[in-house]
Amino acid sequence: KGQADSKENQQAADEVLHRTDLIMQGFQDRELRYREKIARDRDDLLSYSQEYSKLQGNLRRSMEDLSILREDLDLAKEELKRF
């Protein structure tokens, strides 16, 4: 009977180790997926930041162009008033 108990105990211990390994593997798989998602999201954020900077530059140039056009319009209006 002692040998049977020892065998049962060993099987139970093996099952616990196996379940523990599965839990650890599941955790590691999740961690890897999360790290990959973080890396992808970080790349997306960098891309968005670069796009935002380009759009800001375009907006700034458009505003400068608009300001010049408004000045030209004001000058044209002043010249028309003289005639």
Side-chain angles (χ1 to χ4, degrees), residues 47-62:
S47 176
Y48 296 151
S49 175
Q50 292 169 345
E51 183 180 357
Y52 177 78
S53 293
K54 288 179 186 175
L55 291 172
Q56 284 291 100
N58 290 341
L59 177 62
R60 188 171 36 259
R61 283 187 294 279
S62 293

Side-chain angles (χ1 to χ4, degrees), residues 8 13 15-17 19-21 31-32 36 38 40 47 52 59 66 70 72 76 81-82:
E8 286 177 15
E15 287 177 23
V16 168
L17 288 174
R19 281 194 304 256
T20 302
D21 285 342
E31 179 186 20
L32 181 61
E36 289 171 349
I38 288 169
R40 282 191 313 271
S47 176
Y52 177 78
L59 177 62
L66 180 60
R70 283 184 176 159
D72 289 347
K81 284 182 184 176
R82 291 186 209 160

Side-chain angles (χ1 to χ4, degrees), residues 1-40:
K1 183 175 179 177
Q3 220 173 5
D5 285 344
S6 176
K7 188 175 180 179
E8 286 177 15
N9 287 341
Q10 183 62 42
Q11 285 177 339
D14 289 344
E15 287 177 23
V16 168
L17 288 174
H18 181 68
R19 281 194 304 256
T20 302
D21 285 342
L22 292 175
I23 290 169
M24 291 284 291
Q25 185 63 45
F27 173 79
Q28 290 169 346
D29 290 346
R30 256 190 325 279
E31 179 186 20
L32 181 61
R33 282 194 312 271
Y34 293 160
R35 287 182 184 274
E36 289 171 349
K37 184 177 181 332
I38 288 169
R40 282 191 313 271

Side-chain angles (χ1 to χ4, degrees), residues 63-79:
M63 289 175 65
E64 290 169 359
D65 290 346
L66 180 60
S67 177
I68 291 169
L69 290 172
R70 283 184 176 159
E71 289 174 7
D72 289 347
L73 178 62
D74 288 343
L75 288 174
K77 285 180 182 179
E78 290 297 321
E79 286 185 27

